[in-house]
Every structure is written in structure tokens, then in C-alpha cells.
Amino acid sequence: MVDILHRVGVATPTPEKVYAALTTVDGLRGWWTDDTKESEGVLQFRFPPGGFDMEVVETKPDEQVTWRVVDGPEEWVGTTIDWRLRQDGDYTIVLFKHEGWREPVEFMHHCSTKWGTYLMSLKSLVETGKGAPSPRDVRVDDWD
């Protein structure tokens, strides 16, 4: 199995705002996709080409958020998305892992790039109050 890994530093004196952006529907709408809902512990994320349903597996305030993909593209179902937060001076360090891909298919490469753009959106949301969620995100697929 293979994983997508990213690390980003967010200029904020504590991880509280980052944690809230990962654990509240309003926070998730602010950086990932406008079309975010929650029902009975399952987060529903919708994008113009489709969407994902994620079961919230674990949360540790200001430290960790873990989701398991329960519905969406075949390559995503059964994978886990894990966010680890730690404070380092004036920055909250976000260690992101989308783990459990069966193989490094081309779609995984695309998703890694998109996760990077959404992590920058998360950083912007926390630092400036304005993210770039779908459908206003960077359209890497249009750069071909």
C-alpha cells in the first residue's frame, strides 16, 4: 500500500483554529468544498465531478483528526485520512496522510496535487480568514 503525505506550517499561536477547520462543517466549507454536510458521524463532501463520504474515526482536540472513506471513488473507499497537529513556535504544523491506497495509480498523483492545493487553502483560511474551497479552488486539471 502507498500513501499521500504532506506537511504545512500554519502561522497561528495555537492549533485551535486549524482543529476547528478540520472538525466543523463551517470550517470544512471554508477550505475544502462549499458542499459539505454531516449526518450521524459521517461527513459528506461534494465536488462538481463527484464526492466522498467520510466516517469520523478519531478526534483528539488540537492534536489529531482521522477519517475513513466509506463512499466515493473505488480507489478512495477504505483509505484513511489522518491529520496530526503540533505547535512549533508561532506555527501549527499539519502532518497530513491519505493512507491505504492499494497502488500508485495516476488518480493518486492527481489527488496528491489537489490535496496540496487544499492544504494551502486551509492555511489561507486560518491565517487570513479566507480559503479557496471548491468550486473556487485552483483547477490543476485545467493546466494540461
Short mmCIF file of all heavy atoms in Angstrom, two decimals, residues 28-96:
data_model
loop_
_atom_site.label_atom_id
_atom_site.label_comp_id
_atom_site.label_asym_id
_atom_site.label_seq_id
_atom_site.Cartn_x
_atom_site.Cartn_y
_atom_site.Cartn_z
N LEU A 28 -14.81 23.18 7.43
CA LEU A 28 -14.54 22.38 6.23
C LEU A 28 -15.04 23.08 4.97
O LEU A 28 -14.39 23.04 3.93
CB LEU A 28 -15.16 21.00 6.38
CG LEU A 28 -14.51 20.12 7.47
CD1 LEU A 28 -15.44 18.98 7.87
CD2 LEU A 28 -13.17 19.61 6.99
N ARG A 29 -16.17 23.74 5.08
CA ARG A 29 -16.69 24.51 3.93
C ARG A 29 -15.76 25.67 3.58
O ARG A 29 -15.74 26.11 2.43
CB ARG A 29 -18.07 25.07 4.26
CG ARG A 29 -19.16 24.05 4.23
CD ARG A 29 -20.49 24.69 4.59
NE ARG A 29 -21.55 23.69 4.59
CZ ARG A 29 -22.66 23.79 5.30
NH1 ARG A 29 -22.87 24.86 6.07
NH2 ARG A 29 -23.56 22.83 5.25
N GLY A 30 -15.03 26.16 4.55
CA GLY A 30 -14.17 27.31 4.34
C GLY A 30 -12.90 27.03 3.56
O GLY A 30 -12.29 27.95 3.02
N TRP A 31 -12.47 25.76 3.50
CA TRP A 31 -11.22 25.46 2.79
C TRP A 31 -11.31 24.29 1.81
O TRP A 31 -10.50 24.21 0.89
CB TRP A 31 -10.07 25.21 3.78
CG TRP A 31 -10.23 23.96 4.60
CD1 TRP A 31 -10.81 23.85 5.82
CD2 TRP A 31 -9.80 22.64 4.24
NE1 TRP A 31 -10.79 22.54 6.25
CE2 TRP A 31 -10.16 21.78 5.31
CE3 TRP A 31 -9.14 22.10 3.14
CZ2 TRP A 31 -9.90 20.42 5.30
CZ3 TRP A 31 -8.88 20.73 3.13
CH2 TRP A 31 -9.25 19.92 4.20
N TRP A 32 -12.28 23.36 1.97
CA TRP A 32 -12.28 22.19 1.09
C TRP A 32 -13.38 22.24 0.04
O TRP A 32 -13.11 22.22 -1.14
CB TRP A 32 -12.33 20.90 1.89
CG TRP A 32 -11.84 19.71 1.11
CD1 TRP A 32 -11.08 19.74 -0.03
CD2 TRP A 32 -12.07 18.35 1.39
NE1 TRP A 32 -10.83 18.46 -0.46
CE2 TRP A 32 -11.42 17.58 0.39
CE3 TRP A 32 -12.76 17.68 2.40
CZ2 TRP A 32 -11.45 16.20 0.37
CZ3 TRP A 32 -12.77 16.30 2.37
CH2 TRP A 32 -12.12 15.57 1.37
N THR A 33 -14.64 22.25 0.46
CA THR A 33 -15.72 22.37 -0.52
C THR A 33 -16.93 23.02 0.14
O THR A 33 -17.27 22.70 1.28
CB THR A 33 -16.12 21.01 -1.14
OG1 THR A 33 -17.21 21.22 -2.06
CG2 THR A 33 -16.52 19.97 -0.12
N ASP A 34 -17.55 23.92 -0.61
CA ASP A 34 -18.76 24.59 -0.12
C ASP A 34 -19.86 23.58 0.21
O ASP A 34 -20.66 23.80 1.10
CB ASP A 34 -19.32 25.54 -1.20
CG ASP A 34 -18.48 26.78 -1.39
OD1 ASP A 34 -17.65 27.11 -0.53
OD2 ASP A 34 -18.68 27.44 -2.43
N ASP A 35 -19.88 22.47 -0.53
CA ASP A 35 -20.94 21.48 -0.39
C ASP A 35 -20.49 20.39 0.60
O ASP A 35 -20.11 19.29 0.21
CB ASP A 35 -21.28 20.88 -1.75
CG ASP A 35 -22.56 20.05 -1.73
OD1 ASP A 35 -23.13 19.84 -0.64
OD2 ASP A 35 -22.97 19.59 -2.81
N THR A 36 -20.52 20.75 1.88
CA THR A 36 -20.13 19.85 2.96
C THR A 36 -21.31 19.71 3.92
O THR A 36 -21.90 20.71 4.31
CB THR A 36 -18.91 20.39 3.73
OG1 THR A 36 -17.80 20.47 2.83
CG2 THR A 36 -18.54 19.49 4.89
N LYS A 37 -21.61 18.47 4.28
CA LYS A 37 -22.68 18.20 5.24
C LYS A 37 -22.19 17.14 6.22
O LYS A 37 -21.23 16.42 5.95
CB LYS A 37 -23.93 17.70 4.52
CG LYS A 37 -24.56 18.70 3.57
CD LYS A 37 -25.76 18.10 2.85
CE LYS A 37 -26.38 19.05 1.88
NZ LYS A 37 -25.59 19.30 0.68
N GLU A 38 -22.90 17.00 7.34
CA GLU A 38 -22.58 15.97 8.32
C GLU A 38 -23.88 15.33 8.75
O GLU A 38 -24.89 15.99 8.95
CB GLU A 38 -21.87 16.58 9.53
CG GLU A 38 -21.34 15.57 10.54
CD GLU A 38 -22.36 15.13 11.58
OE1 GLU A 38 -23.27 15.91 11.89
OE2 GLU A 38 -22.25 14.00 12.08
N SER A 39 -23.87 13.99 8.86
CA SER A 39 -25.03 13.26 9.31
C SER A 39 -24.58 12.02 10.07
O SER A 39 -23.91 11.16 9.49
CB SER A 39 -25.91 12.87 8.11
OG SER A 39 -27.01 12.10 8.53
N GLU A 40 -24.90 11.97 11.34
CA GLU A 40 -24.62 10.80 12.18
C GLU A 40 -23.17 10.36 12.12
O GLU A 40 -22.86 9.18 11.94
CB GLU A 40 -25.57 9.66 11.81
CG GLU A 40 -27.04 10.01 12.03
CD GLU A 40 -27.98 8.88 11.65
OE1 GLU A 40 -27.56 7.72 11.58
OE2 GLU A 40 -29.16 9.18 11.44
N GLY A 41 -22.24 11.31 12.26
CA GLY A 41 -20.82 10.99 12.29
C GLY A 41 -20.19 10.75 10.94
O GLY A 41 -19.03 10.36 10.85
N VAL A 42 -20.94 10.97 9.85
CA VAL A 42 -20.39 10.82 8.50
C VAL A 42 -20.38 12.19 7.83
O VAL A 42 -21.40 12.88 7.77
CB VAL A 42 -21.21 9.82 7.66
CG1 VAL A 42 -20.71 9.77 6.23
CG2 VAL A 42 -21.16 8.43 8.29
N LEU A 43 -19.19 12.59 7.37
CA LEU A 43 -19.03 13.84 6.64
C LEU A 43 -19.25 13.56 5.16
O LEU A 43 -18.72 12.59 4.62
CB LEU A 43 -17.63 14.41 6.86
CG LEU A 43 -17.34 14.82 8.29
CD1 LEU A 43 -15.83 15.03 8.49
CD2 LEU A 43 -18.10 16.08 8.65
N GLN A 44 -20.05 14.41 4.52
CA GLN A 44 -20.36 14.25 3.10
C GLN A 44 -19.78 15.45 2.36
O GLN A 44 -20.20 16.59 2.60
CB GLN A 44 -21.87 14.17 2.92
CG GLN A 44 -22.48 13.02 3.68
CD GLN A 44 -23.99 13.13 3.82
OE1 GLN A 44 -24.56 14.21 3.74
NE2 GLN A 44 -24.64 12.00 4.05
N PHE A 45 -18.82 15.18 1.48
CA PHE A 45 -18.14 16.21 0.71
C PHE A 45 -18.51 16.04 -0.75
O PHE A 45 -18.33 14.95 -1.31
CB PHE A 45 -16.62 16.09 0.87
CG PHE A 45 -16.15 16.18 2.29
CD1 PHE A 45 -15.82 15.04 2.99
CD2 PHE A 45 -16.03 17.41 2.92
CE1 PHE A 45 -15.36 15.11 4.30
CE2 PHE A 45 -15.58 17.49 4.22
CZ PHE A 45 -15.24 16.36 4.92
N ARG A 46 -19.02 17.09 -1.39
CA ARG A 46 -19.40 17.01 -2.80
C ARG A 46 -18.64 18.06 -3.60
O ARG A 46 -18.46 19.20 -3.16
CB ARG A 46 -20.91 17.21 -2.98
CG ARG A 46 -21.74 16.14 -2.28
CD ARG A 46 -21.48 14.75 -2.86
NE ARG A 46 -22.20 13.69 -2.18
CZ ARG A 46 -21.70 12.93 -1.21
NH1 ARG A 46 -20.47 13.11 -0.78
NH2 ARG A 46 -22.41 11.97 -0.67
N PHE A 47 -18.21 17.64 -4.79
CA PHE A 47 -17.46 18.47 -5.72
C PHE A 47 -18.15 18.38 -7.08
O PHE A 47 -18.92 17.44 -7.31
CB PHE A 47 -16.02 17.95 -5.83
CG PHE A 47 -15.26 17.98 -4.55
CD1 PHE A 47 -15.42 16.97 -3.61
CD2 PHE A 47 -14.41 19.03 -4.25
CE1 PHE A 47 -14.72 16.99 -2.41
CE2 PHE A 47 -13.72 19.08 -3.06
CZ PHE A 47 -13.87 18.06 -2.14
N PRO A 48 -17.88 19.29 -8.02
CA PRO A 48 -18.54 19.20 -9.33
C PRO A 48 -18.44 17.81 -9.98
O PRO A 48 -19.45 17.32 -10.48
CB PRO A 48 -17.83 20.28 -10.15
CG PRO A 48 -17.48 21.32 -9.13
CD PRO A 48 -17.09 20.53 -7.89
N PRO A 49 -17.27 17.11 -9.93
CA PRO A 49 -17.25 15.79 -10.57
C PRO A 49 -17.74 14.63 -9.71
O PRO A 49 -17.84 13.51 -10.19
CB PRO A 49 -15.78 15.58 -10.94
CG PRO A 49 -15.02 16.46 -10.01
CD PRO A 49 -15.93 17.58 -9.62
N GLY A 50 -18.03 14.83 -8.43
CA GLY A 50 -18.45 13.72 -7.57
C GLY A 50 -18.23 14.06 -6.11
O GLY A 50 -18.23 15.22 -5.73
N GLY A 51 -18.03 13.02 -5.29
CA GLY A 51 -17.84 13.30 -3.87
C GLY A 51 -17.38 12.10 -3.07
O GLY A 51 -17.15 11.02 -3.61
N PHE A 52 -17.28 12.33 -1.76
CA PHE A 52 -16.78 11.35 -0.81
C PHE A 52 -17.61 11.41 0.45
O PHE A 52 -18.05 12.48 0.85
CB PHE A 52 -15.32 11.65 -0.41
CG PHE A 52 -14.44 12.05 -1.56
CD1 PHE A 52 -14.18 13.38 -1.83
CD2 PHE A 52 -13.88 11.09 -2.37
CE1 PHE A 52 -13.36 13.75 -2.89
CE2 PHE A 52 -13.07 11.43 -3.42
CZ PHE A 52 -12.81 12.77 -3.69
N ASP A 53 -17.76 10.28 1.10
CA ASP A 53 -18.34 10.21 2.44
C ASP A 53 -17.26 9.68 3.37
O ASP A 53 -16.62 8.66 3.06
CB ASP A 53 -19.55 9.29 2.49
CG ASP A 53 -20.76 9.86 1.75
OD1 ASP A 53 -20.70 11.03 1.32
OD2 ASP A 53 -21.74 9.12 1.60
N MET A 54 -17.06 10.37 4.49
CA MET A 54 -16.01 10.01 5.43
C MET A 54 -16.60 9.79 6.82
O MET A 54 -17.31 10.65 7.34
CB MET A 54 -14.98 11.13 5.54
CG MET A 54 -14.53 11.68 4.22
SD MET A 54 -12.92 11.13 3.82
CE MET A 54 -12.63 12.11 2.35
N GLU A 55 -16.28 8.66 7.40
CA GLU A 55 -16.65 8.38 8.78
C GLU A 55 -15.58 9.00 9.68
O GLU A 55 -14.37 8.82 9.44
CB GLU A 55 -16.69 6.88 9.00
CG GLU A 55 -16.93 6.46 10.42
CD GLU A 55 -16.76 4.96 10.62
OE1 GLU A 55 -16.24 4.27 9.72
OE2 GLU A 55 -17.15 4.49 11.70
N VAL A 56 -16.01 9.76 10.68
CA VAL A 56 -15.07 10.31 11.65
C VAL A 56 -14.66 9.17 12.58
O VAL A 56 -15.48 8.62 13.30
CB VAL A 56 -15.69 11.48 12.44
CG1 VAL A 56 -14.70 12.01 13.46
CG2 VAL A 56 -16.15 12.58 11.50
N VAL A 57 -13.38 8.79 12.53
CA VAL A 57 -12.88 7.65 13.29
C VAL A 57 -12.32 8.08 14.64
O VAL A 57 -12.55 7.42 15.65
CB VAL A 57 -11.78 6.91 12.48
CG1 VAL A 57 -11.15 5.80 13.30
CG2 VAL A 57 -12.35 6.38 11.18
N GLU A 58 -11.59 9.21 14.64
CA GLU A 58 -10.96 9.64 15.87
C GLU A 58 -10.71 11.14 15.84
O GLU A 58 -10.38 11.70 14.80
CB GLU A 58 -9.61 8.92 16.06
CG GLU A 58 -8.95 9.21 17.38
CD GLU A 58 -7.73 8.32 17.64
OE1 GLU A 58 -7.31 7.59 16.74
OE2 GLU A 58 -7.21 8.40 18.76
N THR A 59 -10.89 11.76 17.00
CA THR A 59 -10.50 13.16 17.17
C THR A 59 -9.86 13.30 18.55
O THR A 59 -10.32 12.71 19.51
CB THR A 59 -11.70 14.13 17.07
OG1 THR A 59 -12.67 13.78 18.05
CG2 THR A 59 -12.34 14.09 15.69
N LYS A 60 -8.79 14.06 18.58
CA LYS A 60 -8.14 14.46 19.82
C LYS A 60 -7.98 15.96 19.73
O LYS A 60 -7.23 16.45 18.86
CB LYS A 60 -6.77 13.80 19.97
CG LYS A 60 -6.80 12.31 20.17
CD LYS A 60 -5.40 11.76 20.34
CE LYS A 60 -5.44 10.25 20.39
NZ LYS A 60 -4.09 9.67 20.36
N PRO A 61 -8.72 16.72 20.55
CA PRO A 61 -8.70 18.17 20.41
C PRO A 61 -7.30 18.75 20.25
O PRO A 61 -6.39 18.46 21.04
CB PRO A 61 -9.37 18.65 21.69
CG PRO A 61 -10.31 17.53 22.03
CD PRO A 61 -9.56 16.27 21.65
N ASP A 62 -7.15 19.55 19.20
CA ASP A 62 -5.93 20.28 18.87
C ASP A 62 -4.73 19.38 18.55
O ASP A 62 -3.61 19.86 18.46
CB ASP A 62 -5.56 21.26 19.98
CG ASP A 62 -6.66 22.26 20.25
OD1 ASP A 62 -7.49 22.51 19.34
OD2 ASP A 62 -6.71 22.81 21.37
N GLU A 63 -4.97 18.05 18.35
CA GLU A 63 -3.86 17.13 18.07
C GLU A 63 -4.08 16.23 16.86
O GLU A 63 -3.14 16.00 16.09
CB GLU A 63 -3.61 16.21 19.28
CG GLU A 63 -3.07 16.90 20.49
CD GLU A 63 -2.84 15.93 21.64
OE1 GLU A 63 -2.72 14.70 21.41
OE2 GLU A 63 -2.80 16.40 22.79
N GLN A 64 -5.28 15.69 16.69
CA GLN A 64 -5.47 14.68 15.65
C GLN A 64 -6.92 14.63 15.19
O GLN A 64 -7.85 14.79 15.98
CB GLN A 64 -5.08 13.30 16.18
CG GLN A 64 -5.26 12.19 15.17
CD GLN A 64 -4.92 10.82 15.75
OE1 GLN A 64 -4.53 10.70 16.90
NE2 GLN A 64 -5.07 9.80 14.93
N VAL A 65 -7.07 14.38 13.89
CA VAL A 65 -8.37 14.11 13.28
C VAL A 65 -8.15 12.97 12.30
O VAL A 65 -7.22 13.01 11.49
CB VAL A 65 -8.92 15.35 12.54
CG1 VAL A 65 -10.23 15.02 11.84
CG2 VAL A 65 -9.08 16.53 13.49
N THR A 66 -9.00 11.94 12.37
CA THR A 66 -8.86 10.81 11.45
C THR A 66 -10.23 10.46 10.87
O THR A 66 -11.21 10.35 11.60
CB THR A 66 -8.28 9.57 12.17
OG1 THR A 66 -7.06 9.94 12.80
CG2 THR A 66 -8.03 8.43 11.21
N TRP A 67 -10.25 10.30 9.54
CA TRP A 67 -11.46 9.91 8.82
C TRP A 67 -11.18 8.62 8.05
O TRP A 67 -10.07 8.38 7.61
CB TRP A 67 -11.86 10.95 7.78
CG TRP A 67 -12.06 12.34 8.24
CD1 TRP A 67 -12.54 12.78 9.44
CD2 TRP A 67 -11.80 13.52 7.47
NE1 TRP A 67 -12.60 14.14 9.46
CE2 TRP A 67 -12.15 14.63 8.27
CE3 TRP A 67 -11.32 13.75 6.19
CZ2 TRP A 67 -12.03 15.94 7.82
CZ3 TRP A 67 -11.20 15.06 5.74
CH2 TRP A 67 -11.57 16.14 6.56
N ARG A 68 -12.23 7.82 7.82
CA ARG A 68 -12.15 6.65 6.93
C ARG A 68 -13.14 6.90 5.80
O ARG A 68 -14.31 7.24 6.03
CB ARG A 68 -12.49 5.36 7.67
CG ARG A 68 -12.41 4.13 6.78
CD ARG A 68 -12.64 2.78 7.46
NE ARG A 68 -13.32 2.78 8.75
CZ ARG A 68 -12.71 2.74 9.96
NH1 ARG A 68 -11.42 2.74 10.05
NH2 ARG A 68 -13.42 2.73 11.06
N VAL A 69 -12.70 6.68 4.58
CA VAL A 69 -13.56 6.88 3.42
C VAL A 69 -14.49 5.68 3.29
O VAL A 69 -14.04 4.55 3.16
CB VAL A 69 -12.73 7.06 2.13
CG1 VAL A 69 -13.65 7.32 0.94
CG2 VAL A 69 -11.72 8.19 2.28
N VAL A 70 -15.80 5.96 3.37
CA VAL A 70 -16.79 4.89 3.30
C VAL A 70 -17.56 4.89 1.98
O VAL A 70 -18.23 3.90 1.66
CB VAL A 70 -17.78 4.95 4.49
CG1 VAL A 70 -17.03 4.67 5.79
CG2 VAL A 70 -18.51 6.28 4.56
N ASP A 71 -17.46 5.98 1.20
CA ASP A 71 -18.11 6.01 -0.10
C ASP A 71 -17.40 7.04 -0.97
O ASP A 71 -16.93 8.07 -0.47
CB ASP A 71 -19.59 6.35 0.02
CG ASP A 71 -20.37 6.08 -1.26
OD1 ASP A 71 -19.90 5.25 -2.08
OD2 ASP A 71 -21.43 6.70 -1.45
N GLY A 72 -17.32 6.75 -2.25
CA GLY A 72 -16.66 7.64 -3.20
C GLY A 72 -15.99 6.82 -4.28
O GLY A 72 -16.37 5.66 -4.52
N PRO A 73 -14.97 7.39 -4.93
CA PRO A 73 -14.27 6.63 -5.97
C PRO A 73 -13.68 5.34 -5.40
O PRO A 73 -13.23 5.31 -4.25
CB PRO A 73 -13.15 7.58 -6.42
CG PRO A 73 -13.62 8.94 -6.02
CD PRO A 73 -14.44 8.75 -4.78
N GLU A 74 -13.67 4.31 -6.21
CA GLU A 74 -13.19 3.00 -5.78
C GLU A 74 -11.81 3.07 -5.13
O GLU A 74 -11.55 2.41 -4.12
CB GLU A 74 -13.15 2.06 -6.99
CG GLU A 74 -12.64 0.68 -6.70
CD GLU A 74 -12.55 -0.18 -7.95
OE1 GLU A 74 -13.21 0.13 -8.96
OE2 GLU A 74 -11.80 -1.17 -7.90
N GLU A 75 -10.92 3.90 -5.69
CA GLU A 75 -9.56 4.00 -5.16
C GLU A 75 -9.52 4.59 -3.75
O GLU A 75 -8.58 4.37 -3.00
CB GLU A 75 -8.67 4.87 -6.07
CG GLU A 75 -8.48 4.32 -7.46
CD GLU A 75 -9.54 4.81 -8.44
OE1 GLU A 75 -10.59 5.35 -8.01
OE2 GLU A 75 -9.32 4.67 -9.65
N TRP A 76 -10.54 5.35 -3.38
CA TRP A 76 -10.57 6.01 -2.07
C TRP A 76 -11.24 5.15 -1.00
O TRP A 76 -10.89 5.26 0.18
CB TRP A 76 -11.32 7.34 -2.16
CG TRP A 76 -10.51 8.48 -2.67
CD1 TRP A 76 -9.70 8.51 -3.76
CD2 TRP A 76 -10.46 9.78 -2.10
NE1 TRP A 76 -9.15 9.74 -3.91
CE2 TRP A 76 -9.61 10.56 -2.90
CE3 TRP A 76 -11.07 10.37 -1.00
CZ2 TRP A 76 -9.34 11.89 -2.63
CZ3 TRP A 76 -10.80 11.71 -0.73
CH2 TRP A 76 -9.94 12.46 -1.53
N VAL A 77 -12.22 4.35 -1.37
CA VAL A 77 -13.00 3.60 -0.37
C VAL A 77 -12.06 2.69 0.43
O VAL A 77 -11.27 1.94 -0.14
CB VAL A 77 -14.14 2.81 -1.03
CG1 VAL A 77 -14.84 1.92 -0.01
CG2 VAL A 77 -15.14 3.76 -1.69
N GLY A 78 -12.16 2.82 1.74
CA GLY A 78 -11.32 2.04 2.65
C GLY A 78 -10.02 2.73 3.04
O GLY A 78 -9.33 2.25 3.93
N THR A 79 -9.68 3.83 2.37
CA THR A 79 -8.47 4.56 2.76
C THR A 79 -8.77 5.42 3.98
O THR A 79 -9.93 5.62 4.35
CB THR A 79 -7.95 5.45 1.61
OG1 THR A 79 -8.94 6.44 1.28
CG2 THR A 79 -7.60 4.62 0.38
N THR A 80 -7.73 5.90 4.60
CA THR A 80 -7.84 6.71 5.81
C THR A 80 -7.16 8.04 5.59
O THR A 80 -6.09 8.10 4.97
CB THR A 80 -7.18 5.98 7.00
OG1 THR A 80 -7.81 4.71 7.16
CG2 THR A 80 -7.33 6.77 8.28
N ILE A 81 -7.77 9.10 6.11
CA ILE A 81 -7.19 10.43 6.05
C ILE A 81 -6.91 10.86 7.47
O ILE A 81 -7.81 10.87 8.32
CB ILE A 81 -8.12 11.40 5.31
CG1 ILE A 81 -8.28 10.91 3.87
CG2 ILE A 81 -7.59 12.82 5.38
CD1 ILE A 81 -9.35 11.54 3.08
N ASP A 82 -5.64 11.17 7.73
CA ASP A 82 -5.20 11.47 9.09
C ASP A 82 -4.51 12.82 9.12
O ASP A 82 -3.66 13.11 8.28
CB ASP A 82 -4.24 10.37 9.57
CG ASP A 82 -3.89 10.53 11.03
OD1 ASP A 82 -4.79 10.36 11.87
OD2 ASP A 82 -2.71 10.81 11.32
N TRP A 83 -4.89 13.62 10.08
CA TRP A 83 -4.32 14.95 10.30
C TRP A 83 -3.69 14.95 11.69
O TRP A 83 -4.38 14.67 12.67
CB TRP A 83 -5.41 16.01 10.29
CG TRP A 83 -6.36 15.93 9.14
CD1 TRP A 83 -7.47 15.13 9.01
CD2 TRP A 83 -6.30 16.68 7.93
NE1 TRP A 83 -8.08 15.35 7.81
CE2 TRP A 83 -7.39 16.31 7.14
CE3 TRP A 83 -5.41 17.67 7.46
CZ2 TRP A 83 -7.64 16.86 5.89
CZ3 TRP A 83 -5.66 18.22 6.23
CH2 TRP A 83 -6.75 17.82 5.45
N ARG A 84 -2.41 15.25 11.79
CA ARG A 84 -1.73 15.39 13.08
C ARG A 84 -1.30 16.84 13.21
O ARG A 84 -0.73 17.42 12.27
CB ARG A 84 -0.49 14.48 13.16
CG ARG A 84 -0.78 13.00 12.97
CD ARG A 84 -1.52 12.42 14.16
NE ARG A 84 -1.97 11.08 13.88
CZ ARG A 84 -1.64 10.02 14.58
NH1 ARG A 84 -0.87 10.13 15.64
NH2 ARG A 84 -2.11 8.83 14.24
N LEU A 85 -1.57 17.42 14.36
CA LEU A 85 -1.25 18.82 14.60
C LEU A 85 -0.28 18.92 15.77
O LEU A 85 -0.42 18.21 16.76
CB LEU A 85 -2.53 19.60 14.95
CG LEU A 85 -3.72 19.44 14.01
CD1 LEU A 85 -4.92 20.20 14.56
CD2 LEU A 85 -3.38 19.91 12.62
N ARG A 86 0.70 19.80 15.64
CA ARG A 86 1.60 20.10 16.75
C ARG A 86 2.06 21.54 16.64
O ARG A 86 2.16 22.08 15.54
CB ARG A 86 2.78 19.14 16.81
CG ARG A 86 3.76 19.27 15.69
CD ARG A 86 4.96 18.34 15.89
NE ARG A 86 5.74 18.19 14.69
CZ ARG A 86 6.62 19.08 14.24
NH1 ARG A 86 6.84 20.19 14.90
NH2 ARG A 86 7.28 18.87 13.11
N GLN A 87 2.31 22.14 17.75
CA GLN A 87 2.75 23.52 17.77
C GLN A 87 4.27 23.57 17.72
O GLN A 87 4.95 22.82 18.42
CB GLN A 87 2.23 24.23 19.03
CG GLN A 87 2.22 25.73 18.91
CD GLN A 87 1.32 26.23 17.79
OE1 GLN A 87 0.32 25.63 17.44
NE2 GLN A 87 1.70 27.36 17.21
N ASP A 88 4.80 24.46 16.89
CA ASP A 88 6.24 24.68 16.79
C ASP A 88 6.45 26.19 16.71
O ASP A 88 6.35 26.79 15.63
CB ASP A 88 6.81 23.98 15.55
CG ASP A 88 8.32 24.04 15.48
OD1 ASP A 88 8.97 24.63 16.36
OD2 ASP A 88 8.88 23.48 14.51
N GLY A 89 6.65 26.82 17.86
CA GLY A 89 6.79 28.27 17.90
C GLY A 89 5.49 28.94 17.51
O GLY A 89 4.44 28.66 18.07
N ASP A 90 5.56 29.81 16.51
CA ASP A 90 4.39 30.55 16.05
C ASP A 90 3.59 29.80 14.98
O ASP A 90 2.69 30.37 14.38
CB ASP A 90 4.82 31.90 15.48
CG ASP A 90 5.40 32.82 16.53
OD1 ASP A 90 5.04 32.67 17.72
OD2 ASP A 90 6.21 33.69 16.17
N TYR A 91 3.94 28.55 14.74
CA TYR A 91 3.28 27.78 13.68
C TYR A 91 2.65 26.51 14.23
O TYR A 91 3.23 25.83 15.07
CB TYR A 91 4.29 27.38 12.59
CG TYR A 91 4.71 28.54 11.74
CD1 TYR A 91 5.74 29.38 12.15
CD2 TYR A 91 4.07 28.82 10.55
CE1 TYR A 91 6.13 30.46 11.39
CE2 TYR A 91 4.44 29.90 9.77
CZ TYR A 91 5.47 30.72 10.20
OH TYR A 91 5.83 31.80 9.44
N THR A 92 1.48 26.19 13.68
CA THR A 92 0.90 24.87 13.88
C THR A 92 1.34 24.05 12.68
O THR A 92 1.10 24.42 11.53
CB THR A 92 -0.64 24.92 13.96
OG1 THR A 92 -1.01 25.67 15.11
CG2 THR A 92 -1.24 23.53 14.04
N ILE A 93 2.02 22.95 12.96
CA ILE A 93 2.48 22.05 11.90
C ILE A 93 1.37 21.03 11.64
O ILE A 93 0.90 20.36 12.57
CB ILE A 93 3.79 21.34 12.29
CG1 ILE A 93 4.88 22.36 12.66
CG2 ILE A 93 4.24 20.39 11.17
CD1 ILE A 93 5.21 23.36 11.57
N VAL A 94 0.96 20.93 10.39
CA VAL A 94 -0.06 19.97 9.98
C VAL A 94 0.65 18.86 9.22
O VAL A 94 1.26 19.10 8.17
CB VAL A 94 -1.12 20.63 9.07
CG1 VAL A 94 -2.15 19.60 8.62
CG2 VAL A 94 -1.77 21.81 9.76
N LEU A 95 0.60 17.66 9.77
CA LEU A 95 1.11 16.48 9.07
C LEU A 95 -0.10 15.73 8.53
O LEU A 95 -0.93 15.24 9.29
CB LEU A 95 1.92 15.60 10.02
CG LEU A 95 3.18 16.23 10.59
CD1 LEU A 95 3.83 15.30 11.60
CD2 LEU A 95 4.17 16.58 9.48
N PHE A 96 -0.19 15.68 7.23
CA PHE A 96 -1.34 15.11 6.53
C PHE A 96 -0.95 13.77 5.92
O PHE A 96 0.12 13.64 5.32
CB PHE A 96 -1.79 16.06 5.42
CG PHE A 96 -2.78 15.45 4.48
CD1 PHE A 96 -4.14 15.50 4.76
CD2 PHE A 96 -2.37 14.81 3.32
CE1 PHE A 96 -5.06 14.92 3.89
CE2 PHE A 96 -3.27 14.23 2.45
CZ PHE A 96 -4.62 14.30 2.74
#
